[in-house]
């Protein structure tokens, strides 16, 4: 729709890159404040954010390219991050791995920091998916519903579905990210144990992404067995991981409570 947000002569600020930067900035500030309230030095958040940003950008980009290989014909296409094109799960997996290494070296609580960062992750969907919408990537199947959007030519959606209204799945995901962030901030006020908010993030995002993907367009390379997408399979795994996290931690908290009596 508007892939270039601002153009001043040779200077171009791309919508996706701008929204991605906004999501990281707001997410880091929010996580640092939440960490401080938990007795965690916010400097750890700022230091760890460097690792998380690099891992998230590289991981999300690589998985997107693997599942949309037809869109990338040159090295320039691959490194053009500002034009959009990223998959959450690639960034999430690599970011968690990078955070785990950092936390282990600093001898910090993984679950404590994960709880502090969980709402920031969800809020990141809200901002970055707006960038996807403006860039015309991550679009949905053609639709005749009132929600349909016709993307202009020379955009990913416009090239694949010229003149056709498609589901604005970017906005569906964006709105769901905002709702998820609000829910996490609310339930975190009375979290029964450390790790609860992170477990809820896994369940909520996995369930939402699984549903939204039924409306989203994917190339054949991203579909497994002509039914589920790679992201949907990962969504199932993420929900299962969230349920397992909550189950194990709940059992441990209950056991500790009984032992204290």
């Amino acid at each position: 729709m508007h892939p270039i947000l601002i153009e001043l002569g040779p200077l171009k600020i791309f919508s996706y890159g701008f929204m991605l930067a906004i999501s990281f900035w707001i997410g880091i500030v929010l996580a640092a404040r939440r960490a401080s309230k938990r007795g965690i030095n916010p400097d750890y958040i700022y230091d760890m954010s460097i690792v998380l940003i690099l891992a998230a950008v590289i991981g999300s980009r690589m998985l997107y390219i693997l599942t949309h290989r037809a869109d990338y014909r040159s090295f320039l296409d691959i490194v053009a991050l500002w034009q959009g094109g990223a998959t959450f799960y690639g960034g999430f997996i690599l970011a968690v791995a990078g955070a785990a290494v950092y936390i282990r070296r600093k001898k910090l609580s993984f679950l404590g920091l994960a709880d502090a960062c969980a709402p920031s992750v969800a809020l990141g969907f809200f901002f970055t998916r707006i960038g996807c919408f403006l860039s015309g990537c991550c679009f949905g199947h053609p639709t005749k519903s009132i929600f349909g959007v016709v993307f202009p030519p020379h955009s990913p959606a416009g090239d694949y579905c010229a003149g056709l209204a498609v589901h604005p799945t970017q906005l569906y995901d964006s709105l769901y990210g905002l709702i998820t962030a609000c829910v996490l901030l609310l339930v975190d006020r009375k979290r029964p144990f450390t790790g609860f908010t992170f477990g809820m993030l896994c369940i909520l995002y996995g369930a939402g992404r699984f549903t939204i993907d039924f409306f989203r367009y994917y190339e054949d390379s991203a579909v497994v067995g002509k039914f589920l997408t790679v992201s949907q399979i990962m969504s199932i795994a993420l929900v299962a991981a969230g349920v397992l996290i909550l189950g194990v931690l709940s059992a441990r908290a209950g056991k500790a409570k009984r032992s204290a009596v």
Side-chain angles (χ1 to χ4, degrees), residues 28-220:
I28 291 169
V29 171
L30 176 61
R33 290 183 178 180
R34 286 171 50 77
S36 180
K37 292 180 180 180
R38 285 168 165 74
I40 302 173
N41 189 337
D43 288 342
Y44 287 126
I45 295 293
Y46 295 125
D47 293 342
M48 188 174 65
S49 66
I50 299 174
V51 176
L52 294 180
I53 290 173
L54 291 175
V57 170
I58 294 173
S60 60
R61 186 64 167 180
M62 290 300 99
L63 184 57
Y64 186 88
I65 291 172
L66 287 175
T67 54
H68 297 79
R69 291 190 291 272
D71 293 340
Y72 298 90
R73 302 178 180 84
S74 68
F75 178 74
L76 182 59
D77 291 335
I78 293 174
V79 299
L81 298 171
W82 52 88
Q83 295 182 2
T87 299
F88 164 73
Y89 286 117
F92 182 76
I93 293 172
L94 202 59
V96 169
V101 173
Y102 175 86
I103 290 169
R104 183 181 179 85
R105 293 187 62 181
K106 296 295 183 179
K107 298 180 180 180
L108 302 172
S109 167
F110 175 84
L111 292 176
L113 282 171
D115 277 351
C117 295
S120 295
V121 175
L123 197 59
F125 308 147
F126 170 67
F127 289 107
T128 54
R129 286 309 188 193
I130 292 176
C132 290
F133 178 75
L134 294 174
S135 296
C137 62
C138 306
F139 54 94
H141 294 293
T143 179
K144 294 182 180 180
S145 73
I146 59 174
F147 301 111
V149 174
V150 178
F151 284 82
H154 309 301
S155 66
D159 289 340
Y160 279 103
C161 305
L164 296 177
V166 299
H167 281 288
T169 45
Q170 315 97 322
L171 298 184
Y172 298 165
D173 211 359
S174 176
L175 177 60
Y176 187 73
L178 180 60
I179 294 173
T180 301
C182 292
V183 170
L184 292 178
L185 289 171
L186 287 174
V187 301
D188 186 68
R189 294 179 179 180
K190 296 184 178 181
R191 62 188 183 282
F193 46 79
T194 302
F196 178 80
T197 309
F198 177 65
M200 287 298 298
L201 168 66
C202 295
I203 294 172
L204 290 174
Y205 182 77
R209 179 61 183 271
F210 180 86
T211 303
I212 292 172
D213 262 21
F214 283 115
F215 301 94
R216 180 172 166 177
Y217 169 82
Y218 281 98
E219 296 178 346
D220 292 339

